[in-house]
Amino acid sequence: MIELYYWTTPNGHKITIFCEEAALSYKIVPVNIGAGEQFSPDFLRIGPNNRIPAIVDHTPADGGKPLSVFESGAILLYLADKTKQLIPQDLRKRNEAIEWLFWQMAGLGPMAGQNHHFTQYATETIPYAIDRYVKETARLYAVLNKRLADREFIANSYSIADIACYPWIVPHEKQQQNLDDYPHLKRWFQTVQARPAVQRAYKKADEINVAPTMTEDAKRILFGQDAKTVI
């Protein structure tokens, strides 16, 4: 059984989507990041970067003691290898899926995250920062659109690459992106959105975070971190 330490963010959604797609037995342990629960000693033992998601696998393949994994990309790769699902087993095709997983982790996620911050949450309007990250998000959307021009899914077959990228495209309007500008990406997005497992994963999010809010206290917790918050 997989214990999933989770909150309703794009990185959190990646893991619920995988678990639903793979029909894994898993239990969600909510970690309300707006309330600072990511700083609890129990969570930090498995998520030392005080970020969700993290998992504990109580039945690891080596038969040993429970194994914890943090970082959403590492979790997706771990679960794909554990289940031998949602990642190609052919060497070259597997490498493609991993390339695009890393592309999301290093590019799409961080850049869209900065886009969200400066367009929605920053206490002052900084035109340079907004322009920088909106344009970079647009560039990354264009890269993905080009990739999808001649294939149904990012690594040809549906995989952890699609699962990693999809939740970061969901808030495209907040990122000031129009999917009509990216027709191949839009087609892919609608295809993934229609998958029953994806719909189940987002339904779980709605049940856990019933009334999403961003209070001033939550902003201080989320955006006021520095070296002193690493305990």
Side-chain angles (χ1 to χ4, degrees):
M1 194 269 290
I2 302 295
E3 205 168 34
L4 168 58
Y5 291 77
Y6 162 90
W7 197 242
T8 55
T9 70
N11 288 334
H13 297 319
K14 295 176 190 176
I15 313 306
T16 51
I17 291 172
F18 184 98
C19 290
E20 291 293 330
E21 291 281 7
L24 271 174
S25 174
Y26 72 107
K27 173 188 175 183
I28 290 177
V29 180
V31 180
N32 187 337
I33 59 175
E37 293 176 3
Q38 69 272 36
F39 299 108
S40 73
D42 286 345
F43 178 71
L44 289 173
R45 277 193 283 272
I46 60 169
N49 193 38
N50 59 266
R51 298 285 191 274
I52 62 91
I55 65 166
V56 176
D57 182 0
H58 290 271
T59 55
D62 63 2
K65 65 182 182 179
L67 187 153
S68 65
V69 187
F70 74 103
E71 285 294 320
S72 60
I75 296 168
L76 286 176
L77 189 54
Y78 174 82
L79 293 176
D81 285 341
K82 175 184 174 70
T83 62
K84 293 183 170 51
Q85 294 186 62
L86 298 162
I87 190 167
Q89 298 304 300
D90 171 84
L91 172 64
R92 296 175 188 275
K93 293 177 181 177
R94 173 188 169 87
N95 187 63
E96 282 191 328
I98 293 173
E99 283 179 326
W100 285 94
L101 171 66
F102 278 47
W103 175 84
Q104 184 281 310
M105 293 294 295
L108 181 61
M111 295 301 103
Q114 293 297 327
N115 179 325
H116 292 172
H117 180 78
F118 285 106
T119 59
Q120 297 171 69
Y121 301 126
T123 56
E124 59 181 301
T125 301
I126 306 174
Y128 176 84
I130 293 171
D131 186 61
R132 160 86 174 103
Y133 290 112
V134 169
K135 283 184 176 178
E136 180 61 7
T137 303
R139 187 190 72 80
L140 291 163
Y141 272 50
V143 169
L144 191 52
N145 184 67
K146 182 178 179 181
R147 173 67 179 177
L148 290 162
D150 61 352
R151 68 200 75 219
E152 185 177 11
F153 297 109
I154 296 171
N156 297 297
S157 61
Y158 183 69
S159 73
I160 55 174
D162 304 284
I163 292 172
C165 291
Y166 172 79
W168 283 100
I169 305 296
V170 170
H172 55 271
E173 292 179 351
K174 292 181 178 179
Q175 298 166 10
Q176 300 185 23
Q177 304 301 315
N178 183 350
L179 290 190
D180 289 337
D181 295 335
Y182 312 97
H184 309 300
L185 173 57
K186 182 177 181 179
R187 182 265 310 156
W188 165 85
F189 178 80
Q190 292 173 336
T191 299
V192 177
Q193 185 179 51
R195 294 180 70 90
V198 173
Q199 294 178 11
R200 289 195 301 271
Y202 276 83
K203 185 177 180 181
K204 285 182 180 291
D206 292 339
E207 293 168 354
I208 289 168
N209 194 4
V210 178
T213 58
M214 182 61 74
T215 65
E216 291 306 312
D217 283 344
K219 289 180 182 179
R220 280 190 288 272
I221 290 169
L222 291 171
F223 307 135
Q225 298 176 32
D226 59 17
K228 296 185 182 68
T229 61
V230 180
I231 55 176

